[in-house]
């Protein structure tokens, strides 16, 4: 055995020893494909239509408020569960927009983005053996959220083209072990906006089985064509069994600030706050302060935001249809799910996405990232359109290469 072989054998023994001690939970999921696609976009110098972050500027007054907060020396830890001023502003806005009155002292936890709010909520309420109902396709984080919190997921399909769900299938997914259902409206990746009637149907099942609704409402202000965002907590009977997840990222175009929150009844907020405290202690204090300014922006800010995104959505629908994608028109959020069957591409969604990023210069998210069973997303890819016009121009140009093939 050469010296090289000996050292290889040695390191693989060490690797095997380490392997035994690693987390079985973490073994069960991969790194985020969405975030990986951004890295690939950078590597291949491709246009990033994959990860949902705006590439345009945030509102000047919100940025100025952050600069001012740092100058004012708001540079030390905020209260663990969030700066009082921000929690007050969150409570005021929730009442103003959804008519739900909450106690900022006992029912709001500010977190590092809604990602942490979701994880803290799940870890705060789940026990081994608990089941969580998840609509799919779903935002990829919910899978790892379920695994790390110890929940058993029960998937219920949203069916294209309208992404409706089968009421009986949903009924069957609930049972005595159901601890919660995750509802993401407006929905990523489908753009579905759940109707009042659908939410009431879900509400009745939550009440029947004494389950929580954990609702991810991060795209609440990105809605089109007269759709209305309805918070589950505003429904009769849901005020005290809903955990509302939200944040600054999408509404104020500051995804890198990592300021989110969970609004939950006091008894659920207690464990959520504890989990949050030991995960991250708190979100960035000066950015929480800037959040106060953001949450007080006038109603015109939100109408403009939605209208700007509607224009981008319509343009992107045209670009994609011209390039040969079958699009599912979103009623909210800033993604377009597409069907790629028309390309007769030999290979699945992952291979198609790799081809797009390497050979065409466009990064997208493979559909399988949004399903438990990858086969279900094998003919889908997701585009985001939260990009400036010049980025959409570049996307259009690159995609013209696809049509001419
Ligand atoms: N929500 C964004 C998306 O789906 C990404 C968020 C993130 O990467 N944390 O693309």
């Amino acid at each position: 055995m050469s010296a090289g072989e000996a050292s290889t054998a040695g390191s693989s023994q060490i690797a095997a020893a380490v392997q035994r001690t690693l987390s079985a939970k973490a073994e069960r999921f991969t790194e985020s494909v969405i975030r990986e696609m951004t890295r690939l976009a950078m590597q291949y110098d491709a246009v990033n239509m994959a990860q949902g972050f705006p590439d345009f500027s945030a509102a000047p007054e919100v940025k100025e408020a952050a600069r001012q907060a740092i100058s004012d020396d708001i540079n030390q830890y905020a209260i663990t569960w969030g700066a009082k001023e921000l929690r007050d502003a969150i409570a005021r806005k929730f009442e103003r927009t959804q008519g739900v009155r909450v106690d900022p002292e006992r029912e709001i936890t500010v977190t590092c983005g809604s990602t942490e709010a979701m994880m803290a909520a799940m870890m705060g309420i789940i026990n081994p053996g608990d089941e969580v109902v998840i609509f799919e396709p779903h935002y990829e984080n919910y899978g790892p959220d379920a695994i790390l919190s110890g929940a058993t997921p029960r998937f219920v399909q949203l069916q294209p083209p309208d992404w409706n769900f089968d009421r009986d299938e949903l009924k069957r997914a609930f049972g005595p072990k159901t601890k919660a259902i995750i509802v993401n409206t407006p929905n990523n990746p489908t753009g579905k906006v759940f109707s009042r009637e659908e939410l009431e149907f879900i509400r009745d099942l939550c009440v029947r089985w004494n389950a929580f609704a954990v609702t991810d409402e991060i795209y609440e202000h990105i809605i089109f064509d007269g759709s209305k965002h309805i918070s589950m907590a505003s429904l009769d009977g849901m005020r005290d069994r809903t955990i509302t997840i939200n944040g600054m990222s999408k509404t104020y175009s500051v995804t890198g600030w990592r300021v989110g929150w969970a609004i939950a009844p006091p008894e659920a907020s207690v464990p959520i706050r504890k989990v949050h405290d030991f995960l991250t202690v708190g979100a960035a204090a000066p950015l929480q302060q800037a959040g106060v300014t953001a949450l007080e922006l006038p109603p015109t800010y939100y109408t403009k935001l939605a209208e700007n995104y509607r224009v981008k959505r319509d343009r992107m629908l045209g670009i994609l249809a011209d390039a040969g994608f079958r699009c599912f028109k979103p009623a909210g959020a800033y993604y377009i799910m597409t069907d790629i069957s028309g390309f007769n591409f030999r290979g699945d969604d992952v291979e198609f996405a790799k081809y797009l990023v390497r050979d065409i210069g466009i990064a997208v998210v493979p559909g399988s990232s949004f399903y438990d069973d990858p086969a279900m997303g094998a003919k889908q890819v997701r585009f985001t359109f939260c990009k400036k016009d010049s980025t959409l121009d570049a996307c259009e140009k690159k995609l013209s290469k696809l049509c001419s093939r």
Side-chain angles (χ1 to χ4, degrees):
M1 187 188 279
S2 74
E5 278 167 333
S7 84
T8 311
S11 61
S12 72
Q13 268 164 13
I14 292 168
V18 169
Q19 190 75 32
R20 276 203 302 274
T21 65
L22 299 182
S23 159
K25 281 181 176 174
E27 278 275 299
R28 286 172 52 204
F29 55 91
T30 63
E31 281 190 37
S32 158
V33 177
I34 298 177
R35 269 83 80 188
E36 185 194 354
M37 289 313 298
T38 287
R39 292 193 292 272
L40 287 179
M42 287 160 113
Q43 184 183 330
Y44 292 108
D45 200 19
V47 183
N48 189 353
M49 306 305 285
Q51 195 178 10
F53 64 87
D55 63 353
F56 46 81
S57 299
E61 55 271 58
V62 177
K63 292 192 291 187
E64 178 51 31
R67 281 192 290 270
Q68 191 60 48
I70 291 173
S71 298
D72 290 347
D73 259 329
I74 304 183
N75 294 314
Q76 309 308 324
Y77 305 118
I79 291 175
T80 305
W81 50 84
K84 177 170 167 43
E85 266 193 87
L86 177 59
R87 281 181 289 115
D88 288 349
I90 293 167
R92 278 197 302 275
K93 181 165 177 288
F94 203 32
E95 187 168 1
R96 192 165 71 230
T97 57
Q98 292 293 328
V100 184
R101 182 177 291 193
V102 295
D103 178 1
E105 292 309 317
R106 300 192 308 147
E107 297 185 291
I108 295 176
T109 307
V110 176
T111 55
C112 292
S114 63
T115 293
E116 192 215 336
M118 180 61 80
M119 185 67 87
M122 296 280 283
M123 293 185 118
I125 63 169
I126 297 296
N127 286 311
D130 285 349
E131 292 183 358
V132 171
V133 179
I134 304 175
F135 290 108
E136 80 171 0
H138 61 80
Y139 177 45
E140 63 173 2
N141 283 32
Y142 305 154
D145 286 342
I147 292 168
L148 290 173
S149 66
T152 305
R154 297 285 305 261
F155 295 102
V156 171
Q157 303 307 311
L158 298 174
Q159 291 154 355
D162 299 325
W163 307 108
N164 292 328
F165 57 88
D166 180 272
R167 309 267 161 133
D168 289 327
E169 189 187 344
L170 185 64
K171 256 194 213 163
R172 284 196 302 274
F174 275 76
K177 292 185 183 163
T178 308
K179 180 56 83 63
I181 178 168
I182 297 178
V183 182
N184 172 212
T185 182
N187 185 263
N188 174 10
T190 65
K192 176 186 175 71
V193 177
F194 283 70
S195 69
R196 177 172 295 280
E197 206 231 328
E198 287 174 321
L199 293 173
E200 284 174 352
F201 187 82
I202 297 167
R203 182 261 322 266
D204 293 347
L205 288 169
C206 288
V207 172
R208 158 87 174 81
W209 295 104
N210 193 25
F212 282 101
V214 182
T215 66
D216 179 348
E217 303 184 16
I218 192 86
Y219 302 99
E220 66 172 328
H221 292 290
I222 303 173
I223 37 175
F224 316 118
D225 313 327
S227 304
K228 208 171 152 343
H229 169 67
I230 299 167
S231 281
M232 184 67 102
S234 70
L235 265 54
D236 272 355
M238 288 309 283
R239 163 75 179 69
D240 291 324
R241 56 171 73 251
T242 302
I243 302 175
T244 308
I245 308 291
N246 214 323
M248 292 182 66
S249 294
K250 315 289 185 181
T251 302
Y252 306 106
S253 305
V254 288
T255 61
W257 283 18
R258 316 311 301 132
V259 178
W261 51 84
I263 305 176
E267 67 280 6
S269 287
V270 169
I272 291 172
R273 285 179 171 191
K274 283 195 281 187
V275 172
H276 156 71
D277 189 3
F278 290 101
L279 277 177
T280 63
V281 179
L287 304 181
Q288 291 193 46
Q289 185 63 33
V292 179
T293 301
L295 270 75
E296 296 296 340
L297 287 172
T300 47
Y301 172 83
Y302 303 98
T303 15
K304 254 195 21 255
L305 180 83
E307 177 54 14
N308 288 344
Y309 275 130
R310 187 199 57 77
V311 173
K312 290 182 191 300
R313 176 201 64 170
D314 290 349
R315 168 140 195 241
M316 198 61 192
L317 283 169
I319 294 173
L320 293 175
D322 286 349
F325 291 87
R326 177 171 172 231
C327 297
F328 301 107
K329 187 177 179 180
Y334 49 43
Y335 307 100
I336 299 176
M337 263 301 237
T338 66
D339 185 312
I340 56 172
S341 310
F343 292 103
N344 293 321
F345 181 81
R346 275 210 251 144
D348 60 13
D349 59 313
V350 174
E351 282 153 330
F352 189 72
K354 279 191 183 149
Y355 160 73
L356 279 186
V357 72
R358 271 194 216 136
D359 297 346
I360 303 292
I362 300 277
V364 299
V365 180
S368 54
S369 313
F370 305 103
Y371 292 90
D372 185 48
D373 173 5
M376 299 202 53
K379 289 285 163 228
Q380 296 172 346
V381 299
R382 188 198 76 174
F383 286 77
T384 185
F385 54 86
C386 55
K387 306 293 172 184
K388 52 191 179 202
D389 291 344
S390 56
T391 308
L392 301 186
D393 293 343
C395 173
E396 181 169 27
K397 210 163 143 207
K398 300 258 185 194
L399 281 181
S400 61
K401 281 197 278 177
L402 183 64
C403 330
S404 59
R405 289 170 100 85

